[in-house]
Each structure stands twice: as C-alpha cells, then as structure tokens.
Amino acid sequence: MFQPDLLKDKVILVTGGGSGLGKSMGKRFLELGAKLAIASRREEVLAATAKELQDATGGEVFYTTCDIRKPDQVEQMMDAVWNHYGTIDVLLNNAAGNFAAPTATLSHRAVDAVLNIVLHGTWYCTLALGKKWIAEERGGTMLNIIATYAWTGAPFVAPSATAKAGVMALTQSLAVEWGKYGIRMNAIAPGPFPTEGAAMRLSPTGSFEGRLESIPLRRLGKHDELSNLAAYLVSDYSEYITGDVITIDGGKWLAGAADFSKLDQLTEEEWAQFAAQAKAQK
Ligand code: HXC
Ligand code: NAP
C-alpha cells in the first residue's frame, strides 16, 4: 500500500511539525513523495527539523513560524505556504498544548493556555484553509490529532480533554457541512506514543514506560505506526472516509473502560479460588 509515490506532489501542512509526532508524520509524508510545510512558534526548532528531514529524505520542506492562537498569524501562515507551493492539499492539525495538574489548582489563564492552542488554534487553521479551498472551488483533506479521552474525559488533563472533544465535534460537523465542497475531515486518536513534549508534561517520571500494564498490547505506540495511518488517511486510498476518528492505542482506552480488565492480574491460583467461589453459588 505504501508505494513511494503514494503522496506524490501533495502539499501537506503540519502544524507543530517541528517536534514529536508532527515531525515523524512529516518525515513519512516526505518519504512517500509529498511536499512538506511545517509551522509552529519556535523558529530554531523548525529550521533544524526542516534541514534534518530534507537531508534524510531528499524531499522539500518549507517552514514558517506561526502561533496558531493568533488568527492573523494563521492567515499569514496559510498565505506563505500557498504562495510557496502554489496550493495546499492537506492540513494536519497536530499542534497542541497540555500539562497535568489538579483541576482545582488551575487559574483561568491555565485553562486558556490549553484551550487557546488546541480548540481555538485548530479552529482558526481549519477556517482559514477551508475558506480558501471553498473560494478556489477545490477540495482538500484535513486530519486532526485528538486523544481517546475526547469521548471519555480525563481527570488532571480536563482542559485538554475538553478541547480535544471540541476538535472531534469540529471534525464531525464540517465533514458533513463541507463534504459537498470535496473537503474530507478525519481525526486520529492516539494512545501513548513516546515524545518528549508529552511525557515531560504528562508523566511525573518523564516517561510513559510505567503504564504498559494498562495497555492490552503491552507496549507504547511506534511513531511509524501512527505515521502510516496518517499517510493512509491523507492519501487518495481513503477518498470515501470522512467524519471518522480512528483510534490507535493498543486497546488502551477500551481496557480502561471495561469493568473486568483488572482480572487480567489474577494468578492461576486466584482464578481457581475465584472459580470455586462462583461455582459454589449454584
Ligand atoms: C499548572 C500551569 C502549568 C502546569 C502552565 N501553567 N503550566 N499550571 N501546571 N504544569 C499555567 C501557568 O502558571 C499560567 O497561569 C498559565 O498556565 C499559562 O502559562 P504560560 O507558561 O504562560 O503558557 P504558554 O507559554 O502559553 O504555554 C502553554 C503551555 C506549554 C501549554 C502551558 O506547556 C506549551 O507551550 N506547550 C506546547 C507543547 C505541549 O504542551 N506538548 C504536549 C502535547 S501532548 P498563571 O495563572 O500562573 O498566569 C498531548 C498528549 C495528549 O496533548 C494525550 C496523551 C495520552
Ligand atoms: P509535542 O512534540 O510537544 O508537539 C506539540 C507541537 O505543537 C510542538 O511542535 C509545538 O511547537 C506546537 N505548538 C504548541 N503550541 C503552539 C502554538 N500556539 N502555535 C503553533 N504551534 C504550537 O508533543 P506530541 O506528543 O508530538 O503531540 C503532537 C500531537 O499528538 C498533539 O496534538 C497531542 O495532543 C497529540 N497526542 C499525543 C500523544 C502522545 O502520546 N504523544 C497522545 C495523544 C495525542 P512550538 O512549541 O514550537 O510552538
């Protein structure tokens, strides 16, 4: 499926593409023939990533700084990428902000810090490019990175959960409203994938490795696995998929939701005692 020309000449803009998962997905898009644009706030990070990815793949990487919380900067980013490549085919809304803290300790500024990036920033990018596509009478594909707690909620990261739920609703709403313009909207909900940005902010140990017991497949996600899913969802092979959220989490959220998941920890002896106790109820 992943032929080297899968994404040939598709212009793909990745927000937050200088680090973590955005960087990995951008690299995969380049390997599959795409022309890449990356944007975020830190120019030195973008410049280093652009060079690294160009050297590694031989593909073209354009970068432009943008704080997606600022609608003017978002417009400028879209214009810069559009002028550079002559079009934009795909937007990957990947940029995010997050941290774990007891909710009762948060100030309103702390809530805004996450909501402004994840919900408002994603909205501004979506609206700016969607309007361009509609005015140009051309379609396009948007892919939004959310999290499985968009539908379960999550203690200690409630602003992020709220914002990701909003991005899921945005995805579903516009898939229907903009389908007639040839615009596809989908989302990916990843489980834990090791990145410095996430692990340092979300785990007191700075690593997700301590959580493997809660994942049915007993390992963290690999960046290539997410990148290949993203490549499929922005490729022409998924042309009839819109409004969906694909989960890639090794079964983690279902295990957390299922009442009996913890029985997995019983020893053989404990199972035998348990069975005897249950059978005695006849
Ligand atoms: C409590 C905090 C805090 C923390 C910031 N604040 N960090 N409160 N605990 N850890 C408060 C500050 O005290 C301040 O409130 C307010 O939030 C704004 O802080 P700033 O530092 O001014 O915010 P800003 O510079 O806008 O930075 C935004 C940020 C930062 C979100 C706080 O972490 C950031 O830039 N993150 C970008 C990258 C990122 O987060 N990547 C992780 C994505 S991982 P006061 O009241 O003091 O003024 C992810 C994974 C999802 O999303 C799923 C995993 C399974
Ligand atoms: P990351 O490396 O910290 O990525 C976040 C990116 O967003 C950074 O490149 C950052 O760049 C950019 N960004 C933040 N605020 C921005 C702003 N205001 N304007 C423009 N760009 C901004 O973390 P990650 O783990 O790769 O996360 C990537 C995506 O995956 C996020 O949507 C996250 O919620 C999602 N996710 C991650 C995991 C995981 O386990 N890692 C799980 C589920 C979902 P600058 O600082 O330069 O702006």
Side-chain angles (χ1 to χ4, degrees):
M1 186 197 308
F2 296 103
Q3 301 141 10
D5 62 351
L6 180 74
L7 303 175
K8 191 164 172 38
D9 293 334
K10 272 193 198 298
V11 175
I12 304 182
L13 167 59
V14 181
T15 64
S19 68
L21 301 180
K23 177 177 171 181
S24 294
M25 289 186 278
K27 182 172 185 225
R28 189 71 181 120
F29 298 158
L30 285 167
E31 290 166 351
L32 295 168
K35 294 175 179 168
L36 184 67
I38 55 176
S40 78
R41 296 166 299 180
R42 293 169 298 165
E43 181 159 18
E44 69 283 6
V45 171
L46 295 172
T49 294
K51 181 169 183 331
E52 185 187 326
L53 297 190
Q54 278 179 171
D55 290 349
T57 65
E60 184 178 355
V61 185
F62 174 78
Y63 70 86
T64 179
T65 55
C66 175
D67 184 337
I68 61 167
R69 295 170 294 189
K70 309 270 166 60
D72 292 352
Q73 289 189 27
V74 168
E75 295 287 347
Q76 283 161 16
M77 167 182 70
M78 293 302 172
D79 287 345
V81 178
W82 198 286
N83 291 339
H84 181 82
Y85 284 122
T87 192
I88 300 174
D89 298 299
V90 172
L91 169 64
L92 176 55
N93 279 312
N94 164 80
N98 199 1
F99 54 80
T103 301
T105 67
L106 297 182
S107 67
H108 63 86
R109 286 176 296 276
V111 174
D112 286 351
V114 173
L115 285 172
N116 285 345
I117 302 172
V118 180
L119 185 57
H120 292 261
T122 302
W123 246 114
Y124 300 153
C125 295
T126 301
L127 200 53
L129 186 59
K131 284 179 178 176
K132 261 181 184 293
W133 281 343
I134 292 166
E136 297 276 330
E137 296 185 0
R138 53 148 299 162
T141 297
M142 296 196 196
L143 182 60
N144 300 327
I145 305 300
I146 61 168
T148 52
Y149 54 50
W151 53 88
T152 62
F156 305 106
V157 287
S160 175
T162 313
K164 296 290 193 185
V167 173
M168 183 168 75
L170 171 68
T171 309
Q172 294 165 325
S173 303
L174 297 189
V176 175
E177 190 176 336
W178 286 356
K180 65 184 174 210
Y181 302 119
I183 297 173
R184 292 197 298 124
M185 308 280 308
N186 289 297
I188 295 178
F193 281 72
T195 67
E196 202 182 315
M200 293 305 286
R201 289 181 176 89
L202 300 177
S203 168
T205 63
S207 160
F208 290 149
E209 292 291 340
R211 301 196 197 163
L212 302 188
E213 282 295 298
S214 66
I215 305 170
L217 293 182
R218 295 290 189 270
R219 65 171 175 84
L220 301 177
K222 297 177 188 163
H223 284 213
D224 273 357
E225 294 170 324
L226 177 69
S227 301
N228 281 330
L229 176 59
Y232 168 69
L233 287 172
V234 303
S235 79
D236 296 341
Y237 281 100
S238 65
E239 264 178 338
Y240 206 51
I241 299 179
T242 196
D244 214 345
V245 182
I246 312 291
T247 301
I248 176 164
D249 74 341
K252 185 177 192 314
W253 91 263
L254 277 173
D259 256 359
F260 295 95
S261 296
K262 290 228 161 58
L263 292 182
D264 194 37
Q265 290 161 13
L266 294 193
T267 62
E268 267 182 44
E269 203 171 274
E270 287 166 332
W271 271 117
Q273 284 168 4
F274 183 20
Q277 168 194 305
K279 286 176 184 169
Q281 297 307 306
K282 267 187 193 165

